[in-house]
Amino acid sequence: MRRWQPVDGGFPGTDGNRGKHTLRIVQFMASEGYGGAEKVFIELSNALAAEYEVIALLLRNAIISGRFSPQVRQVVLHSNPTSNNPLLHLELYSRLKELAPDLIHTHAAKGTTLVARVNRLLGLPHLGTKHNDRRGRIFNHLRWVSAVSEKSARSVVAARGAEVRVIHNGVAAEDPGPEEKDKAFTIVAVGRLDAIKGFDILIDQVAALPFDFRLKIIGEGPEKARLEQQIRNRKLSEKVVLEGFRDDIPRLMRRAHLVVISSHQEGGPKVMIESLFHADMLIATPVGAVPEVLPDRFQARQEELAAKISQVYFEYDRYREDFAAVAAKRRPDFSLPEIVEKYRDFYRHILGQKGQSGG
């Protein structure tokens, strides 16, 4: 079976049908949901499509299927998406063999594991992105890994000769325009309604706040019913609202007084990065890339959230001014064009490894 080899004088993908030096990149994330990592996957695919031929490989019933630009070709895997389904592996192998990409870029552990298994027979250059610092042993066996934070990178026990690069998540610097603040002190939390996000703890913490407030939790997920019951039990129905899925996060951040990340674990939280561009103030638990980006005064452990939110409320102008200075300094590091260029550079490096197959 033919294994990938670099082409002298340029990158692969130089046949007449694909245009001179146009790379064919397959992006794959084995997810049916929609959250921060999925948003990164979509935005990166859309941005890369301006230069490369990008194919987004999707699971059946993936709700993100309608969010790609017209320049991104979408290919659906129709097999049952369980990790050990042999039919899924066979379909994935057949699709990748048919597509013959110059490089496959996988996101998160499940998709990376699936591709690594079938790639033993294909030998395609394979870059896997680790989106958190949880155990993900598959990344220990890849030759090329990107991690969304220094902490995520440290969680990879790289094999001999492997390369791990930190490439943060990025944000397109859209301008939703000026927004009036909500009348009550408004707190916004964004994320999939999953236990790891700590929204139950946040609800308990805001119940102790000594001032009028509104908490808007944006997202959908398996914890919704339990959180709704918690809100009723706490008699917070007039103060805490589960807003469901929204696609106007920048606008909601601008209308709010404060964004809070209450997670138990994160990688390179998209909400933190979006807050640098759109929020007046952010506090976050010290998870994932948060300590790499935010000074200590904008961090709080979960059990300290009520105290920190109160401190922000009573010293709001000073906190807002200080956060604006931090955001202005860090925004350039997380602009989407900057992040896309880092991935392009890694792709060029991978494809320039002459005479060596991917893994």
Side-chain angles (χ1 to χ4, degrees), residues 203 206 213-215 217 231 236-242:
I203 291 168
V206 299
F213 70 91
R214 299 294 182 272
L215 169 61
I217 300 177
I231 292 167
L236 290 172
S237 298
E238 295 185 1
K239 292 181 177 291
V240 179
V241 179
L242 302 184

Side-chain angles (χ1 to χ4, degrees), residues 199-247:
F199 292 138
D200 56 336
I201 295 173
L202 178 59
I203 291 168
D204 283 342
Q205 288 288 303
V206 299
L209 294 177
F211 53 85
D212 189 30
F213 70 91
R214 299 294 182 272
L215 169 61
K216 298 179 180 180
I217 300 177
I218 316 300
E220 294 284 354
E223 290 289 297
K224 183 175 182 178
R226 193 170 75 86
L227 293 174
E228 288 174 334
Q229 185 61 51
Q230 181 184 5
I231 292 167
R232 288 192 293 269
N233 292 345
R234 281 287 196 169
K235 296 180 171 54
L236 290 172
S237 298
E238 295 185 1
K239 292 181 177 291
V240 179
V241 179
L242 302 184
E243 293 274 353
F245 174 79
R246 298 284 295 265
D247 58 7

